[in-house]
Amino acid sequence: MAPAAVRGHSVVYAPRIQELLAREEKVFRIDATTVGVSDCDLMAEIVAARPVLATERSVYKPAAGAEIHHDSATRTIRALGQDVMAGIRTPPPPARGLSGAWPYAPTSYLRRWLFSSDPLPVSLLSKRGVTRSDTLSRIVDRAVTVWPGSPAGGGCTALAEQIRGASGTRDRKQAIALYRRATATLCDGVAALAGNALWLMGPAREEEGARADLTTVLWETLRLLPPAWMLYRKGGDAYTGLHPEIRPTDNVALFPLLMHRHPDYWSDPLEFRPERWAGVADPEKTPGFMPFGFDGARCWAKHLVVPLAERLLTVAFDNRLVIRSPQRDAEVPLRSLLSVRFDAATGA
């Protein structure tokens, strides 16, 4: 079910992803303890069978030796929303920051755009050079725990204010973990989505009118190359009886990537057709479409991702971003986020 070519160029998947795309069955065994599912109705039943566990969430899994409470999660979502809305209303950084290897260049660009107002050492929490090193991350975490930056009113983000206003060492450590996870999840996801959209648009992105409706381009990108391409659920009795293949001891992997490409749910499923979303008031109500998860387990930042990705693409188009990779193929490695890899440069 993988397209051989999209608008004149190809997407080359990591072997394990390609193996999944080649499967025709909607319920299949991956290994002795894991069952894969791409059936729309069964996926809905699995998600509805029990609440998502804290350890199954990317952002709100336990931190500092304790679970993240609902009120802390809610405050973080609201703070991040404030920061994103405030950030995209400000002029973007110099577009040269989008030149380089994608999706890494736009990830760093977004972090600089949205969170550069935070003082040291808080601003280091979202630096890619720091987040890639466990040692540096621990050092910065300790520094922020001791000194979380300037007093309120210094122009820092709402997320940073949560760190400064935390009461006690454990609460501050949790606020630090939430800051790092929230900024990373948002920026990584938006960068992956924007990069996937640029590649899927192909040479047509340079044609007049290519940016006429970037929203439909992004929804179609979320269908063909959803960054959150797999959801994992630990096994248990809640799934017993939902399908003969699923045993009580089996973990379950849900694959939006496969469901989004299945002909039972989509016409011309392997074709990149943004026009299929024209006039669709609420794309998430489309059967067989799960870009941000199901009710009760939806991505906490879903209301921010598409508008921010559209704003990022607008900056890229305004500054004549050109994909300069000599290959006609873009690789998709096996990572938690599904994202194509290519080099790009701005003309500005």
Side-chain angles (χ1 to χ4, degrees):
M1 292 190 292
V6 179
R7 299 199 176 189
H9 55 294
S10 304
V11 178
V12 181
Y13 300 93
R16 289 188 64 184
I17 299 177
Q18 186 61 55
E19 290 173 7
L20 292 170
L21 291 168
R23 289 184 175 273
E24 296 183 358
E25 62 269 45
K26 296 179 184 177
V27 183
F28 50 90
R29 182 158 295 279
I30 297 175
D31 55 39
T33 61
T34 309
V35 172
V37 178
S38 62
D39 179 86
C40 177
D41 294 332
L42 181 57
M43 288 172 76
E45 291 178 0
I46 289 170
V47 172
R50 64 162 173 80
V52 62
L53 302 177
T55 53
E56 294 170 340
R57 296 184 182 275
S58 60
V59 175
Y60 301 122
K61 59 186 176 184
E67 289 194 5
I68 303 294
H69 295 299
H70 182 267
D71 57 345
S72 296
T74 301
R75 286 196 302 271
T76 299
I77 294 171
R78 289 175 178 170
L80 185 66
Q82 293 174 25
D83 294 337
V84 170
M85 292 301 103
I88 62 177
R89 287 194 296 265
T90 62
R96 61 178 178 272
L98 291 175
S99 296
W102 279 56
Y104 306 117
T107 295
S108 297
Y109 184 86
L110 287 167
R111 287 172 172 169
R112 188 161 59 253
W113 190 354
L114 302 176
F115 305 107
S116 62
S117 65
D118 289 334
L120 289 171
V122 175
S123 62
L124 296 176
L125 290 171
S126 64
K127 296 291 185 183
R128 184 166 176 263
V130 173
T131 59
R132 294 180 69 190
S133 167
D134 290 340
T135 300
L136 286 177
S137 293
R138 287 193 295 269
I139 292 172
V140 172
D141 285 3
R142 285 197 294 268
V144 177
T145 302
V146 174
W147 183 66
S150 304
C156 62
T157 63
L159 277 178
E161 283 290 351
Q162 289 198 146
I163 298 174
R164 199 196 66 80
S167 58
T169 300
R170 192 183 74 175
D171 286 348
R172 182 165 291 172
K173 287 182 177 179
Q174 285 202 333
I176 290 169
L178 286 172
Y179 180 104
R180 173 173 281 131
R181 294 174 188 174
T183 56
T185 301
L186 177 73
C187 295
D188 290 351
V190 170
L193 175 58
N196 292 352
L198 283 172
W199 189 263
L200 287 173
M201 291 175 76
R205 63 180 168 268
E206 300 176 11
E207 298 174 2
E208 185 176 353
R211 55 192 286 183
D213 194 350
L214 290 176
T215 302
T216 61
V217 167
L218 289 168
W219 283 114
E220 181 69 345
T221 300
L222 284 166
R223 186 186 70 83
L224 270 180
L225 286 174
W229 61 285
M230 187 270 283
L231 300 174
Y232 180 79
R233 294 290 182 267
K234 287 182 63 65
D237 293 337
Y239 305 139
T240 302
L242 295 182
H243 192 276
E245 186 67 38
I246 305 175
R247 303 172 304 208
T249 55
D250 284 330
N251 299 316
V252 180
L254 310 177
F255 290 102
L257 174 67
L258 306 187
M259 182 175 68
H260 290 180
R261 294 160 174 257
H262 204 285
D264 284 358
Y265 309 125
W266 304 92
S267 61
D268 300 320
L270 304 185
E271 294 294 322
F272 179 66
R273 290 173 45 196
E275 61 273 12
R276 75 173 80 230
W277 299 103
V280 178
D282 189 352
E284 289 188 85
K285 292 184 179 180
T286 303
F289 189 50
M290 193 180 69
F292 299 114
F294 282 108
D295 287 339
R298 291 192 187 277
C299 171
W300 50 271
K302 75 182 190 71
H303 62 292
L304 305 173
V305 170
V306 172
L308 187 53
E310 186 170 349
R311 184 79 169 92
L312 181 63
L313 286 176
T314 299
V315 173
F317 282 122
D318 285 346
N319 292 276
R320 303 188 301 280
L321 185 83
V322 175
I323 294 178
R324 63 186 182 190
S325 301
Q327 301 89 354
R328 291 170 58 85
D329 301 333
E331 295 183 356
V332 178
L334 185 63
R335 297 285 190 274
S336 58
L337 286 178
L338 196 73
S339 58
V340 297
R341 301 292 197 261
F342 58 82
D343 289 328
T346 58

